[in-house]
Amino acid sequence: MTARVLLALLVLPVVACIPSPYTVTQHGLISAPRPASYDGQPMPTATRVEAHAGTTRVADLGQAENSGAAVARHHAGGALRAGVNAQTDIGLEVDGAWSATESTLSGDNSMSSGVPDAAVLEGALALRTSLELNARMRLGLAAAFGMSSSPIHRDGTGAGEFSRDEALLVRAALVPSYRFDGVTLYGSLGGATLSAIDETFTVVPDSGSSNDPGVVAEAKELAFTGAIGATVHVADRVHLTAQLAQTMSEHTTFGPQLMAALAIDLGTPLAH
C-alpha cells in the first residue's frame, strides 16, 4: 500500500505538468487553382517578360467539410523567362491573389469568420517545352513548382491580425496548339494543387514541447484544369493572349476563369 502511495506521489507532478490537448480554429485565403501559363509555342527570342491578370467565378461553396478557406477571386502576376534552346525555356513566375469569396469552402461567411483582408502570394519555377508535330501544329508541355503563401487568422488573436503559412504549389499541362498568320489557337489539359486550410485541428502537447504549429496551410488535393485560348502577334515582339479556363476539385468548381496576358520578347532571335 505504501509503495502505491509513493508511486502516485511521484507520478502526479509529472502528469500535472503536461498541458491538455486543445483545439485550434483558423480561417484564411487561398488562390483558385489555374492552368499552367503556356500557349504551346516556343519563344522566338532568348528572353521574355510576361504580365497577366484574371478573375474567377467560384461555384458550389459549402461542400468541403472542415475547411476554413475562402477563395481569392482575382489574381495578377508576371514572369521572366529565358530560352534553354529553340524549344525549351525556364522561368520565374510570381503572382498575387485577392478578394475573398463571400463564403469559405465549408459554407461559413468569410467576413464574420475573420478571413484576412490580405493577398495570397505565390512564386514558382517553370519549365516549358514545345514539340513540333507539323509546320503549324505543336504539342507543349509545361510544369511549374513553387510555394503558395496564405494569410490566415487564428481565433484568439486580435481582429485583423494574421500570420502566413506556405503550401506546395504545382501546375502541369499538355498544350496542343495551331499557329497561322500571327495567331495561335491552343487548348490546355492538366492539373494544379489546391491549398487547404482546415478550420479546426487539435494540438497535443507533450512534456518537452508545445507541438503548436501556429497557423497551417497544406496542399492536400489536386484540381483538374482545362482551358482554351488564343495568342495574337500585335506588334514586333509583342503578343496578347486571352484565355477561358475551367477548373474543379473534389468539392468545388472553380470557373469560368478569364485571363489576359501580355508578352514582350527580348534578346537575340532563336532559330526554330
Side-chain angles (χ1 to χ4, degrees):
M1 184 66 177
T2 303
R4 291 182 180 178
V5 172
L6 291 175
L7 181 60
L9 291 175
L10 290 173
V11 171
L12 183 60
V14 177
V15 174
C17 289
I18 300 177
S20 301
Y22 56 92
T23 298
V24 172
T25 301
Q26 58 176 7
H27 297 90
L29 187 66
I30 62 174
S31 61
R34 60 181 179 84
S37 299
Y38 199 26
D39 67 359
Q41 293 291 313
M43 295 197 317
T45 60
T47 310
R48 171 174 283 183
V49 177
E50 296 178 1
H52 62 259
T55 186
T56 301
R57 180 182 178 275
V58 184
D60 296 336
L61 289 168
Q63 304 301 313
E65 185 178 352
N66 192 36
S67 175
V71 183
R73 295 174 297 167
H74 310 311
H75 78 272
L80 176 63
R81 306 189 191 278
V84 176
N85 54 42
Q87 289 77 40
T88 305
D89 64 77
I90 58 173
L92 178 63
E93 302 177 347
V94 293
D95 282 279
W98 66 97
S99 187
T101 51
E102 294 182 359
S103 299
T104 65
L105 294 182
S106 61
D108 296 331
N109 182 282
S110 67
M111 294 302 293
S112 63
S113 297
V115 172
D117 184 18
V120 180
L121 304 176
E122 296 180 337
L125 183 65
L127 176 66
R128 313 185 310 181
T129 191
S130 179
L131 307 176
E132 184 177 9
L133 302 179
N134 57 44
R136 294 185 179 272
M137 296 189 66
R138 284 182 171 269
L139 178 63
L141 297 91
F145 303 90
M147 302 296 290
S148 179
S149 176
S150 291
I152 304 172
H153 172 78
R154 177 163 159 169
D155 279 16
T157 60
E161 294 184 10
F162 66 90
S163 300
R164 288 185 176 273
D165 194 33
E166 288 67 50
L168 177 68
L169 172 65
V170 178
R171 300 187 186 103
L174 293 174
V175 188
S177 66
Y178 182 81
R179 183 179 176 88
F180 64 97
D181 298 331
V183 177
T184 299
L185 303 178
Y186 67 93
S188 177
L189 185 65
T193 51
L194 173 62
S195 296
I197 299 173
D198 288 343
E199 186 173 28
T200 60
F201 62 89
T202 300
V203 176
V204 183
D206 60 32
S207 57
S209 173
S210 68
N211 286 337
D212 192 330
V215 296
V216 178
E218 299 176 282
K220 290 185 175 181
E221 194 173 343
L222 185 67
F224 163 81
T225 64
I228 56 173
T231 298
V232 180
H233 176 74
V234 295
D236 184 33
R237 299 192 174 199
V238 179
H239 315 271
L240 287 177
T241 298
Q243 178 178 279
L244 175 64
Q246 179 75 44
T247 65
M248 61 188 70
S249 67
E250 181 180 359
H251 300 292
T252 307
T253 299
F254 302 86
Q257 295 181 349
L258 297 175
M259 188 272 290
L262 170 68
I264 301 175
D265 297 324
L266 305 170
T268 57
L270 297 174
H272 294 287

